[in-house]
Amino acid sequence: MKRASDMRVTWWGHATTTIEANGTRLLTDPVLTSRIAHLRRRRGPAPARAARRCDAVLISHLHADHLHLTSLPLIAPDAALIVPRGAAKLIHADSGPEYSDRCIEVSPGNQIRIGSLDITAVTAHHDGRRLPWSSYSAQALGYRVDGSPSVWFAGDTDLYDGLAAEAGSVDVALVPVGGWGPSLGPGHLDPIRAAEAVRRVGASTAVPVHFGTFWPIGCDWIKPELFLPPGERFEAAMKQLDPEVKVKVLAPGQSIEVPV
C-alpha cells in the first residue's frame, strides 16, 4: 500500500517521467505525442492524460526529443517550466510569451523549490545546441530532486569526472541507456556506462530510460538490438557491477514505488 510519504516514478517512454512525492509532481522532458519529426513512437501509446498534470516541468536540453515544443500546450497551464539558461528565447520565439514567461532558467548549481521538493541543476556532458537548423544553444543539464527519497534525472549525458560530486549521493537514478536510432553518438550513455554512472551517484534504485520508445520511420529493421535490449543489458551490467542496486525495467506507462 502506498504511503503518503512514498515516491512514485512513472516512465511514459523515452526521457519522459513523472516524479511524484509529498504531493508535488514533476514532469521530465515531456514528449506527449506519438511523433517527433522523422521519429514515431514504436512502443506503447502516447502518454495518458494524467502525464499532463504537474507542478513543474524539468527540461534537460534543447534537442527536440527533450524540449518538444509541440507538447508544451498539452501540459498543465500553471506548471513552471524549469529550463537551461538560454532556453526561454527559443520557447518565446516558437510558442510565444505565455510560455516563456513561465520559464525559470537555471545553470549547474542553481537550486529552486517547487512545492515540497528542492531541485538542483547539475552538469550534463551533452551537446546543448538545438540543431539541425537552429542557432539556439544552452548548456545541457541533469537534475537532482531532493525530497524523501532523492532522485537524479540525468537527461542526456556521458560520464564525467565531477558527476559524483554534483549529483550524488542519491536514492534513485533515472538513467539513459540508449537512444532513438541505429547509432549512439558522443554525449550518451550505453548500458555499461550507465551502470557506472549509477555506481558513481550511489543510487540504491535505478530505472533505465531513453530507449525502446521512438525510432526513425521505416527503419524498424535496422539494428533492432538497439531498440529494446538496452534495458535488459543495463540490468545485467548493473548486476555485475553492483548487485545491491535494485533495477526496475519499466514498460511505458508503468510506475515504481520507492519507499522512504
Side-chain angles (χ1 to χ4, degrees), residues 117-143:
L117 302 177
D118 292 311
I119 301 164
T120 304
V122 301
T123 299
H125 275 216
H126 189 71
D127 189 344
R129 295 172 294 173
R130 178 67 173 180
L131 296 179
W133 301 291
S134 172
S135 61
Y136 290 100
S137 180
Q139 182 174 351
L141 301 174
Y143 293 95

PDB file of all heavy atoms in Angstrom, residues 117-143:
ATOM      1  N   LEU A 117       9.520  19.932  -2.914  1.00  0.00           N
ATOM      2  CA  LEU A 117      10.756  19.365  -3.449  1.00  0.00           C
ATOM      3  C   LEU A 117      11.783  20.446  -3.769  1.00  0.00           C
ATOM      4  O   LEU A 117      11.450  21.501  -4.317  1.00  0.00           O
ATOM      5  CB  LEU A 117      10.461  18.548  -4.709  1.00  0.00           C
ATOM      6  CG  LEU A 117       9.470  17.390  -4.542  1.00  0.00           C
ATOM      7  CD1 LEU A 117       9.200  16.716  -5.877  1.00  0.00           C
ATOM      8  CD2 LEU A 117       9.981  16.371  -3.523  1.00  0.00           C
ATOM      9  N   ASP A 118      13.044  20.165  -3.436  1.00  0.00           N
ATOM     10  CA  ASP A 118      14.167  21.022  -3.803  1.00  0.00           C
ATOM     11  C   ASP A 118      14.835  20.446  -5.044  1.00  0.00           C
ATOM     12  O   ASP A 118      15.173  19.260  -5.086  1.00  0.00           O
ATOM     13  CB  ASP A 118      15.177  21.113  -2.662  1.00  0.00           C
ATOM     14  CG  ASP A 118      14.625  21.869  -1.469  1.00  0.00           C
ATOM     15  OD1 ASP A 118      14.088  22.970  -1.670  1.00  0.00           O
ATOM     16  OD2 ASP A 118      14.722  21.345  -0.338  1.00  0.00           O
ATOM     17  N   ILE A 119      15.073  21.292  -6.029  1.00  0.00           N
ATOM     18  CA  ILE A 119      15.617  20.865  -7.311  1.00  0.00           C
ATOM     19  C   ILE A 119      16.932  21.584  -7.551  1.00  0.00           C
ATOM     20  O   ILE A 119      17.012  22.813  -7.443  1.00  0.00           O
ATOM     21  CB  ILE A 119      14.626  21.172  -8.446  1.00  0.00           C
ATOM     22  CG1 ILE A 119      13.298  20.450  -8.189  1.00  0.00           C
ATOM     23  CG2 ILE A 119      15.205  20.784  -9.793  1.00  0.00           C
ATOM     24  CD1 ILE A 119      12.157  20.977  -9.013  1.00  0.00           C
ATOM     25  N   THR A 120      17.962  20.813  -7.878  1.00  0.00           N
ATOM     26  CA  THR A 120      19.281  21.364  -8.168  1.00  0.00           C
ATOM     27  C   THR A 120      19.681  20.984  -9.582  1.00  0.00           C
ATOM     28  O   THR A 120      19.645  19.802  -9.947  1.00  0.00           O
ATOM     29  CB  THR A 120      20.336  20.830  -7.188  1.00  0.00           C
ATOM     30  OG1 THR A 120      19.933  21.098  -5.842  1.00  0.00           O
ATOM     31  CG2 THR A 120      21.691  21.483  -7.442  1.00  0.00           C
ATOM     32  N   ALA A 121      20.055  21.970 -10.392  1.00  0.00           N
ATOM     33  CA  ALA A 121      20.562  21.695 -11.730  1.00  0.00           C
ATOM     34  C   ALA A 121      22.002  21.193 -11.634  1.00  0.00           C
ATOM     35  O   ALA A 121      22.806  21.744 -10.872  1.00  0.00           O
ATOM     36  CB  ALA A 121      20.506  22.953 -12.593  1.00  0.00           C
ATOM     37  N   VAL A 122      22.317  20.147 -12.375  1.00  0.00           N
ATOM     38  CA  VAL A 122      23.665  19.586 -12.383  1.00  0.00           C
ATOM     39  C   VAL A 122      24.152  19.501 -13.824  1.00  0.00           C
ATOM     40  O   VAL A 122      23.367  19.520 -14.776  1.00  0.00           O
ATOM     41  CB  VAL A 122      23.724  18.201 -11.706  1.00  0.00           C
ATOM     42  CG1 VAL A 122      23.264  18.296 -10.258  1.00  0.00           C
ATOM     43  CG2 VAL A 122      22.887  17.177 -12.454  1.00  0.00           C
ATOM     44  N   THR A 123      25.444  19.389 -13.978  1.00  0.00           N
ATOM     45  CA  THR A 123      26.059  19.332 -15.298  1.00  0.00           C
ATOM     46  C   THR A 123      25.672  18.051 -16.025  1.00  0.00           C
ATOM     47  O   THR A 123      25.569  16.981 -15.423  1.00  0.00           O
ATOM     48  CB  THR A 123      27.581  19.402 -15.167  1.00  0.00           C
ATOM     49  OG1 THR A 123      27.936  20.649 -14.556  1.00  0.00           O
ATOM     50  CG2 THR A 123      28.262  19.297 -16.519  1.00  0.00           C
ATOM     51  N   ALA A 124      25.449  18.178 -17.324  1.00  0.00           N
ATOM     52  CA  ALA A 124      25.352  17.022 -18.217  1.00  0.00           C
ATOM     53  C   ALA A 124      26.337  17.238 -19.352  1.00  0.00           C
ATOM     54  O   ALA A 124      26.412  18.345 -19.904  1.00  0.00           O
ATOM     55  CB  ALA A 124      23.937  16.866 -18.756  1.00  0.00           C
ATOM     56  N   HIS A 125      27.115  16.221 -19.684  1.00  0.00           N
ATOM     57  CA  HIS A 125      28.061  16.322 -20.790  1.00  0.00           C
ATOM     58  C   HIS A 125      27.362  15.854 -22.062  1.00  0.00           C
ATOM     59  O   HIS A 125      27.309  14.660 -22.368  1.00  0.00           O
ATOM     60  CB  HIS A 125      29.313  15.495 -20.497  1.00  0.00           C
ATOM     61  CG  HIS A 125      30.312  16.247 -19.677  1.00  0.00           C
ATOM     62  ND1 HIS A 125      31.666  16.112 -19.849  1.00  0.00           N
ATOM     63  CD2 HIS A 125      30.163  17.178 -18.699  1.00  0.00           C
ATOM     64  CE1 HIS A 125      32.306  16.903 -18.989  1.00  0.00           C
ATOM     65  NE2 HIS A 125      31.404  17.558 -18.286  1.00  0.00           N
ATOM     66  N   HIS A 126      26.787  16.827 -22.785  1.00  0.00           N
ATOM     67  CA  HIS A 126      25.977  16.541 -23.961  1.00  0.00           C
ATOM     68  C   HIS A 126      25.901  17.816 -24.788  1.00  0.00           C
ATOM     69  O   HIS A 126      25.983  18.929 -24.250  1.00  0.00           O
ATOM     70  CB  HIS A 126      24.575  16.099 -23.518  1.00  0.00           C
ATOM     71  CG  HIS A 126      23.724  15.573 -24.636  1.00  0.00           C
ATOM     72  ND1 HIS A 126      23.952  14.362 -25.243  1.00  0.00           N
ATOM     73  CD2 HIS A 126      22.619  16.101 -25.249  1.00  0.00           C
ATOM     74  CE1 HIS A 126      23.032  14.148 -26.166  1.00  0.00           C
ATOM     75  NE2 HIS A 126      22.229  15.193 -26.206  1.00  0.00           N
ATOM     76  N   ASP A 127      25.730  17.681 -26.091  1.00  0.00           N
ATOM     77  CA  ASP A 127      25.629  18.830 -26.989  1.00  0.00           C
ATOM     78  C   ASP A 127      24.379  19.632 -26.643  1.00  0.00           C
ATOM     79  O   ASP A 127      23.259  19.107 -26.672  1.00  0.00           O
ATOM     80  CB  ASP A 127      25.555  18.327 -28.432  1.00  0.00           C
ATOM     81  CG  ASP A 127      25.678  19.448 -29.453  1.00  0.00           C
ATOM     82  OD1 ASP A 127      25.514  20.630 -29.084  1.00  0.00           O
ATOM     83  OD2 ASP A 127      25.944  19.141 -30.628  1.00  0.00           O
ATOM     84  N   GLY A 128      24.538  20.905 -26.324  1.00  0.00           N
ATOM     85  CA  GLY A 128      23.419  21.740 -25.913  1.00  0.00           C
ATOM     86  C   GLY A 128      22.787  22.541 -27.030  1.00  0.00           C
ATOM     87  O   GLY A 128      21.863  23.315 -26.776  1.00  0.00           O
ATOM     88  N   ARG A 129      23.238  22.363 -28.262  1.00  0.00           N
ATOM     89  CA  ARG A 129      22.664  23.122 -29.376  1.00  0.00           C
ATOM     90  C   ARG A 129      21.328  22.519 -29.806  1.00  0.00           C
ATOM     91  O   ARG A 129      21.119  21.316 -29.702  1.00  0.00           O
ATOM     92  CB  ARG A 129      23.633  23.130 -30.556  1.00  0.00           C
ATOM     93  CG  ARG A 129      24.937  23.870 -30.273  1.00  0.00           C
ATOM     94  CD  ARG A 129      25.929  23.674 -31.411  1.00  0.00           C
ATOM     95  NE  ARG A 129      26.365  22.281 -31.503  1.00  0.00           N
ATOM     96  CZ  ARG A 129      27.119  21.811 -32.500  1.00  0.00           C
ATOM     97  NH1 ARG A 129      27.502  22.631 -33.474  1.00  0.00           N
ATOM     98  NH2 ARG A 129      27.485  20.535 -32.510  1.00  0.00           N
ATOM     99  N   ARG A 130      20.438  23.371 -30.316  1.00  0.00           N
ATOM    100  CA  ARG A 130      19.129  22.894 -30.777  1.00  0.00           C
ATOM    101  C   ARG A 130      19.301  21.986 -31.999  1.00  0.00           C
ATOM    102  O   ARG A 130      18.796  20.877 -32.007  1.00  0.00           O
ATOM    103  CB  ARG A 130      18.224  24.084 -31.092  1.00  0.00           C
ATOM    104  CG  ARG A 130      16.848  23.715 -31.639  1.00  0.00           C
ATOM    105  CD  ARG A 130      15.980  23.018 -30.622  1.00  0.00           C
ATOM    106  NE  ARG A 130      14.608  22.815 -31.131  1.00  0.00           N
ATOM    107  CZ  ARG A 130      13.657  22.230 -30.443  1.00  0.00           C
ATOM    108  NH1 ARG A 130      13.905  21.763 -29.229  1.00  0.00           N
ATOM    109  NH2 ARG A 130      12.443  22.092 -30.945  1.00  0.00           N
ATOM    110  N   LEU A 131      19.930  22.464 -33.023  1.00  0.00           N
ATOM    111  CA  LEU A 131      20.222  21.682 -34.224  1.00  0.00           C
ATOM    112  C   LEU A 131      18.967  21.003 -34.774  1.00  0.00           C
ATOM    113  O   LEU A 131      18.004  20.797 -34.062  1.00  0.00           O
ATOM    114  CB  LEU A 131      21.321  20.654 -33.934  1.00  0.00           C
ATOM    115  CG  LEU A 131      22.720  21.190 -33.566  1.00  0.00           C
ATOM    116  CD1 LEU A 131      23.666  20.037 -33.287  1.00  0.00           C
ATOM    117  CD2 LEU A 131      23.260  22.082 -34.668  1.00  0.00           C
ATOM    118  N   PRO A 132      18.931  20.623 -36.066  1.00  0.00           N
ATOM    119  CA  PRO A 132      19.995  20.866 -37.044  1.00  0.00           C
ATOM    120  C   PRO A 132      19.891  22.208 -37.770  1.00  0.00           C
ATOM    121  O   PRO A 132      20.830  22.624 -38.420  1.00  0.00           O
ATOM    122  CB  PRO A 132      19.815  19.708 -38.029  1.00  0.00           C
ATOM    123  CG  PRO A 132      18.345  19.458 -38.022  1.00  0.00           C
ATOM    124  CD  PRO A 132      17.896  19.723 -36.603  1.00  0.00           C
ATOM    125  N   TRP A 133      18.733  22.898 -37.687  1.00  0.00           N
ATOM    126  CA  TRP A 133      18.564  24.129 -38.444  1.00  0.00           C
ATOM    127  C   TRP A 133      18.303  25.310 -37.525  1.00  0.00           C
ATOM    128  O   TRP A 133      17.560  26.227 -37.856  1.00  0.00           O
ATOM    129  CB  TRP A 133      17.416  23.972 -39.440  1.00  0.00           C
ATOM    130  CG  TRP A 133      17.631  22.855 -40.409  1.00  0.00           C
ATOM    131  CD1 TRP A 133      18.554  22.795 -41.416  1.00  0.00           C
ATOM    132  CD2 TRP A 133      16.924  21.622 -40.437  1.00  0.00           C
ATOM    133  NE1 TRP A 133      18.456  21.606 -42.080  1.00  0.00           N
ATOM    134  CE2 TRP A 133      17.469  20.854 -41.509  1.00  0.00           C
ATOM    135  CE3 TRP A 133      15.890  21.070 -39.677  1.00  0.00           C
ATOM    136  CZ2 TRP A 133      17.004  19.588 -41.823  1.00  0.00           C
ATOM    137  CZ3 TRP A 133      15.429  19.802 -39.993  1.00  0.00           C
ATOM    138  CH2 TRP A 133      15.978  19.069 -41.052  1.00  0.00           C
ATOM    139  N   SER A 134      18.919  25.307 -36.377  1.00  0.00           N
ATOM    140  CA  SER A 134      18.679  26.358 -35.400  1.00  0.00           C
ATOM    141  C   SER A 134      19.991  26.808 -34.787  1.00  0.00           C
ATOM    142  O   SER A 134      20.911  26.002 -34.584  1.00  0.00           O
ATOM    143  CB  SER A 134      17.744  25.843 -34.296  1.00  0.00           C
ATOM    144  OG  SER A 134      17.654  26.780 -33.245  1.00  0.00           O
ATOM    145  N   SER A 135      20.074  28.104 -34.478  1.00  0.00           N
ATOM    146  CA  SER A 135      21.276  28.646 -33.843  1.00  0.00           C
ATOM    147  C   SER A 135      21.147  28.699 -32.325  1.00  0.00           C
ATOM    148  O   SER A 135      22.088  29.103 -31.647  1.00  0.00           O
ATOM    149  CB  SER A 135      21.560  30.052 -34.381  1.00  0.00           C
ATOM    150  OG  SER A 135      20.476  30.933 -34.079  1.00  0.00           O
ATOM    151  N   TYR A 136      20.017  28.296 -31.777  1.00  0.00           N
ATOM    152  CA  TYR A 136      19.816  28.358 -30.331  1.00  0.00           C
ATOM    153  C   TYR A 136      20.704  27.319 -29.629  1.00  0.00           C
ATOM    154  O   TYR A 136      20.899  26.208 -30.116  1.00  0.00           O
ATOM    155  CB  TYR A 136      18.357  28.104 -29.971  1.00  0.00           C
ATOM    156  CG  TYR A 136      17.439  29.224 -30.365  1.00  0.00           C
ATOM    157  CD1 TYR A 136      16.679  29.145 -31.529  1.00  0.00           C
ATOM    158  CD2 TYR A 136      17.335  30.382 -29.590  1.00  0.00           C
ATOM    159  CE1 TYR A 136      15.831  30.172 -31.899  1.00  0.00           C
ATOM    160  CE2 TYR A 136      16.494  31.420 -29.957  1.00  0.00           C
ATOM    161  CZ  TYR A 136      15.749  31.307 -31.111  1.00  0.00           C
ATOM    162  OH  TYR A 136      14.917  32.335 -31.480  1.00  0.00           O
ATOM    163  N   SER A 137      21.209  27.719 -28.461  1.00  0.00           N
ATOM    164  CA  SER A 137      22.084  26.841 -27.699  1.00  0.00           C
ATOM    165  C   SER A 137      21.943  27.144 -26.213  1.00  0.00           C
ATOM    166  O   SER A 137      21.707  28.296 -25.831  1.00  0.00           O
ATOM    167  CB  SER A 137      23.549  27.034 -28.129  1.00  0.00           C
ATOM    168  OG  SER A 137      24.418  26.186 -27.401  1.00  0.00           O
ATOM    169  N   ALA A 138      22.053  26.125 -25.393  1.00  0.00           N
ATOM    170  CA  ALA A 138      22.036  26.281 -23.937  1.00  0.00           C
ATOM    171  C   ALA A 138      22.711  25.051 -23.351  1.00  0.00           C
ATOM    172  O   ALA A 138      22.609  23.954 -23.896  1.00  0.00           O
ATOM    173  CB  ALA A 138      20.609  26.406 -23.408  1.00  0.00           C
ATOM    174  N   GLN A 139      23.404  25.217 -22.254  1.00  0.00           N
ATOM    175  CA  GLN A 139      24.117  24.098 -21.652  1.00  0.00           C
ATOM    176  C   GLN A 139      23.146  22.998 -21.238  1.00  0.00           C
ATOM    177  O   GLN A 139      22.136  23.251 -20.574  1.00  0.00           O
ATOM    178  CB  GLN A 139      24.912  24.557 -20.433  1.00  0.00           C
ATOM    179  CG  GLN A 139      25.721  23.426 -19.787  1.00  0.00           C
ATOM    180  CD  GLN A 139      26.612  23.901 -18.668  1.00  0.00           C
ATOM    181  OE1 GLN A 139      26.772  25.098 -18.454  1.00  0.00           O
ATOM    182  NE2 GLN A 139      27.226  22.967 -17.958  1.00  0.00           N
ATOM    183  N   ALA A 140      23.466  21.764 -21.617  1.00  0.00           N
ATOM    184  CA  ALA A 140      22.645  20.624 -21.210  1.00  0.00           C
ATOM    185  C   ALA A 140      22.767  20.397 -19.708  1.00  0.00           C
ATOM    186  O   ALA A 140      23.823  20.615 -19.110  1.00  0.00           O
ATOM    187  CB  ALA A 140      23.077  19.370 -21.969  1.00  0.00           C
ATOM    188  N   LEU A 141      21.677  19.941 -19.109  1.00  0.00           N
ATOM    189  CA  LEU A 141      21.606  19.756 -17.663  1.00  0.00           C
ATOM    190  C   LEU A 141      21.051  18.388 -17.303  1.00  0.00           C
ATOM    191  O   LEU A 141      20.358  17.745 -18.093  1.00  0.00           O
ATOM    192  CB  LEU A 141      20.686  20.811 -17.024  1.00  0.00           C
ATOM    193  CG  LEU A 141      21.022  22.282 -17.210  1.00  0.00           C
ATOM    194  CD1 LEU A 141      19.907  23.132 -16.634  1.00  0.00           C
ATOM    195  CD2 LEU A 141      22.360  22.619 -16.545  1.00  0.00           C
ATOM    196  N   GLY A 142      21.335  17.961 -16.082  1.00  0.00           N
ATOM    197  CA  GLY A 142      20.560  16.964 -15.375  1.00  0.00           C
ATOM    198  C   GLY A 142      19.974  17.649 -14.154  1.00  0.00           C
ATOM    199  O   GLY A 142      20.222  18.832 -13.913  1.00  0.00           O
ATOM    200  N   TYR A 143      19.196  16.905 -13.395  1.00  0.00           N
ATOM    201  CA  TYR A 143      18.581  17.495 -12.200  1.00  0.00           C
ATOM    202  C   TYR A 143      18.634  16.512 -11.034  1.00  0.00           C
ATOM    203  O   TYR A 143      18.408  15.310 -11.210  1.00  0.00           O
ATOM    204  CB  TYR A 143      17.116  17.863 -12.462  1.00  0.00           C
ATOM    205  CG  TYR A 143      16.941  18.985 -13.450  1.00  0.00           C
ATOM    206  CD1 TYR A 143      16.719  18.715 -14.798  1.00  0.00           C
ATOM    207  CD2 TYR A 143      17.007  20.315 -13.051  1.00  0.00           C
ATOM    208  CE1 TYR A 143      16.562  19.742 -15.714  1.00  0.00           C
ATOM    209  CE2 TYR A 143      16.857  21.344 -13.961  1.00  0.00           C
ATOM    210  CZ  TYR A 143      16.640  21.062 -15.295  1.00  0.00           C
ATOM    211  OH  TYR A 143      16.491  22.073 -16.205  1.00  0.00           O
TER     212      TYR A 143
END
